[in-house]
Every structure is written in structure tokens, then in C-alpha cells.
Amino acid sequence: MEDTKHFTELGLVNTRDMFRKAMKGGYAIPAYNFNNMEQLQGIVLGCAESKSPVILQVSGSARKYADPTFLPYMAKGAVQMIKALGADIPVALHLDHGDTFDLAKSCIDSGFSSVMLDGSHHAFMENAALTRQVVDYAHKREVTVEGELGVLAGVEDEVSHDVSHYTKPQEVEAFVEKTGVDSLAISIGTSHGAYKFKIKPGEEVPPLRFDILEEIAQRVPGFPIVLHGASAVVPEYVKMINAFGGKMDDAVGIPEEQLRKAAGSAVCKINIDSDGRLAMTAIIRKVFAENPAEFDPRKYLGPAREELIKMVKYKNEHVLGSANRA
Ligand code: G3H
Ligand code: 13P
Ligand code: ZN
């Protein structure tokens, strides 16, 4: 039997007000992915300490990993924890890359305040129809919906693409109008994971297509745009991982300057998963390398959580501009 509840019962908010304020203030709301308790705590504590609104996001596979029944209560626990610490920041729980109506519905029914329907691998009309179906269900329950137009390079869920199919600005107005989405993920050259570009030594990473972003912003003025695949792939973490027995030689991400520029534009939500994974992995590798006899999970997950708090604060303060906006 499904454990049905509304997101307000979990102390969550949808993304509507967050995006309205971000658009007006010229910053982006951080959307950090999590799978477990230490990641979740690291994210909310980092956001509470930097007084930033936050979107906690989980993919379908992360939800399965954590357990679909358990997961909304994790979010509730996180909200209660920061309240007990005296923090008052808006927290949304969002489904990342939902690919079916049933998955989106199940998340909404279990207490998510926001869902993404990623129909970007479908043809335009199919994508629009599927997204509309989710919007109709979600909006009746005050849940906000993110759609996607254009395909990111690399692996997007189970679908593999070698090249990025940039969003076609001329399709955006019709998509937004047909679907009624609250925000739209676009493709302007970012990609998922820790290996975003294949570059030769001495080469720079190719710049994001800000020209496409500008054209989209002109066609749908004031409409919240979302940037996926926006990890910087923090070089210090990659170095640390490699120094302590890892092998991530060609890992490369989006330069911070470009993320700052995006955050100051129509981009209201920036998705970060890989950087959080790298931060925790770097510290865990260091602890194990320096203390090979260690076997108490608190001794490696604890420092990893501390590092994640540091990373989240840094990003909110220096990259997204969301610090002190709660
Ligand atoms: O964009 C996808 C996110 O990074 C989540 O990845 O499916 O491995 O949880 P995942
Ligand atoms: P990264 O892999 O760049 O962190 O992107 C995460 C993301 O887009 C989640 O939807
Ligand atoms: Zn994504």
C-alpha cells in the first residue's frame, strides 16, 4: 500500500517562489543530488550555514537505492534537523530525470514537492504530451514541474549520446506553452559526469553556448531555465583522488567562471551531483590511505560529510550566488 502524503506535511516547499526570487536577484538555486544520509546532511547543513535555499534532488535510481518509502522521511528528517539548529531555509525535494508518468506520480504521491519529466530523448510532440500529463497531475497538488528540451552529451539516464544536441531556441516558446512547465532544462554544452570533454594537453574546454541561452531568454523572458551537468569537476578533488590511489586522469568539468555567468542569467537552477561525489570520495580515499586499519564508518563518512559542507558553502557563496538569499 502506498504511503501517500503531501509535501507540506514534510516541511517542504515547491520551487515557484525560489525561482521567482532567483530570477529577480540574478542568482541560481543549487540542486544537489543525494543518495544517503551523509550526503543529505552535508548538503542541508552547507545550505543552512550559508543561508541558501536548496533543492534536494534524487534520480529514479537514487530513490530506489535509498528506498522509495524511506526517502521522503529522510528529507523530513533533514528539514527537522536544520530547524532544530535554528536555520530557516526553504527546502524542496525534487525528482531528477523522471522518465515516466508513473514514476513522477509515485514521487508526487509520496511527498516530493517538485518533479522533472525528462522527455528529451523523445520527439518534440511526444515529449510535450508526456510532460503535459505530468504537469496536469502535479499542478493539482501544487507540485512544480521541470521539463527538458535538447539532449546533453554523454549518458542521460539509460540513453547514450555521443554529441550534444543543443536546445533549439525556436522550439522553446511552444514547448513551454503546450506543457505548462514551471522551468525548463536546456542543452548548451554541459554534460553529466566527471568526464565532460575530451581535451588534449594545453587545450581549453569549449565555452558553453551562451548565445543559445540568450536567445532562449529573449523568447521566454523571465522564465526559469535549468542547467544540468553543471559540476566543475573540482580539480583539487580529482588530484586528491589520484594521489590516494584513484584513477581519474581525464576528469574535467565546467569552469567556475562560466557557471557564475550562467547563474547571473536566466538560469535559476544549477544541478550538481558529480562534485559532491568527488568531494566525499577524495576524503574517504585520503582517510583510508593514511589510516589503513580504520574500519569505523563514522571515521571516514564523518570527514567526507564535513568536506561536503565546505564544498556546498563555497559553491553557494562563490559560484551560484544563493548564499544569504534564504
Ligand atoms: O543526472 C543524473 C544524476 O547525476 C544522477 O545520477 O542516476 O547515477 O543517480 P544517478
Ligand atoms: P553533474 O554530473 O555535472 O554533477 O550533473 C548533475 C546533474 O545534472 C543531475 O541532474
Ligand atoms: Zn541532469
Side-chain angles (χ1 to χ4, degrees):
M1 202 180 71
E2 194 148 2
D3 173 23
T4 302
K5 56 206 156 312
H6 191 251
F7 65 81
T8 48
E9 296 170 51
L10 302 174
L12 303 165
V13 298
N14 67 26
T15 59
R16 201 160 288 143
D17 229 36
M18 289 185 184
F19 290 162
R20 193 180 48 75
K21 290 180 182 157
M23 182 64 80
K24 226 170 119 193
Y27 61 94
I29 307 291
Y32 295 109
N33 290 68
F34 76 96
N35 313 292
N36 69 11
M37 183 190 81
E38 282 78 9
Q39 283 177 311
L40 175 58
Q41 291 183 340
I43 294 163
V44 289
L45 289 170
C47 287
E49 286 180 25
S50 53
K51 299 188 175 58
S52 168
V54 62
I55 298 172
L56 302 170
Q57 64 184 11
V58 284
S59 64
S61 68
R63 180 175 180 249
K64 245 188 233 157
Y65 175 83
D67 184 85
T69 306
F70 188 64
L71 191 110
Y73 295 104
M74 291 176 77
K76 181 173 182 174
V79 169
Q80 293 296 119
M81 177 184 72
I82 51 173
K83 269 198 192 140
L85 292 171
D88 185 17
I89 59 168
V91 180
L93 177 64
H94 174 79
L95 168 66
D96 193 22
H97 294 285
D99 55 353
T100 62
F101 172 79
D102 286 348
L103 174 58
K105 176 182 181 300
S106 168
C107 287
I108 293 167
D109 292 347
S110 73
F112 281 57
S113 61
S114 177
V115 292
M116 175 187 195
L117 191 287
D118 177 0
S120 60
H121 46 286
H122 293 301
F124 181 93
M125 290 308 284
E126 239 180 293
N127 182 1
L130 186 55
T131 307
R132 176 84 238 180
Q133 193 191 2
V134 171
V135 168
D136 287 342
Y137 189 82
H139 281 183
K140 282 196 194 103
R141 291 152 182 87
E142 278 300 304
V143 169
T144 39
V145 180
E146 174 182 327
E148 178 163 336
L149 256 190
V151 179
L152 271 66
V155 176
E156 192 147 316
D157 285 352
E158 259 68 66
V159 193
S160 207
H161 303 273
D162 290 336
V163 287
S164 168
H165 300 283
Y166 298 127
T167 305
K168 297 185 180 82
Q170 65 274 20
E171 290 185 350
V172 169
E173 286 157 280
F175 190 82
V176 167
E177 198 181 305
K178 274 185 198 304
T179 58
V181 282
D182 303 280
S183 60
L184 183 70
I186 59 162
S187 171
I188 57 166
T190 60
S191 63
H192 291 107
Y195 302 88
K196 299 194 188 298
F197 307 100
K198 283 192 185 102
I199 49 165
K200 298 194 185 88
E203 263 180 19
E204 298 271 312
V205 302
L208 298 180
R209 292 291 304 271
F210 283 101
D211 56 322
I212 298 179
L213 175 59
E214 270 159 36
E215 198 183 331
I216 291 169
Q218 276 168 19
R219 284 174 181 270
V220 284
F223 189 78
I225 299 299
V226 178
L227 205 58
H228 281 248
S231 277
V233 185
V234 179
E236 289 75 18
Y237 293 141
V238 175
K239 261 187 225 146
M240 210 163 153
I241 287 170
N242 289 336
F244 292 110
K247 197 158 174 25
M248 297 192 69
D249 295 329
D250 300 323
V252 62
I254 313 293
E256 243 174 52
E257 274 316 302
Q258 297 199 34
L259 295 168
R260 266 189 213 108
K261 186 172 167 185
S265 73
V267 170
C268 288
K269 172 175 180 268
I270 288 191
N271 285 12
I272 299 161
D273 187 354
S274 297
D275 279 340
R277 296 180 181 191
L278 290 168
M280 295 190 95
T281 301
I283 295 299
I284 290 168
R285 279 199 176 277
K286 183 171 185 287
V287 171
F288 280 147
E290 291 173 352
N291 310 278
E294 190 54 72
F295 73 106
D296 178 346
R298 292 170 297 184
K299 297 287 167 49
Y300 51 91
L301 294 175
R305 179 175 59 188
E306 283 306 310
E307 188 60 39
L308 190 56
I309 295 174
K310 241 170 73 186
M311 186 204 85
V312 163
K313 283 168 71 177
Y314 175 84
K315 291 217 180 248
N316 295 347
E317 283 162 18
H318 302 288
V319 184
L320 288 96
S322 63
N324 300 310
R325 304 288 194 159

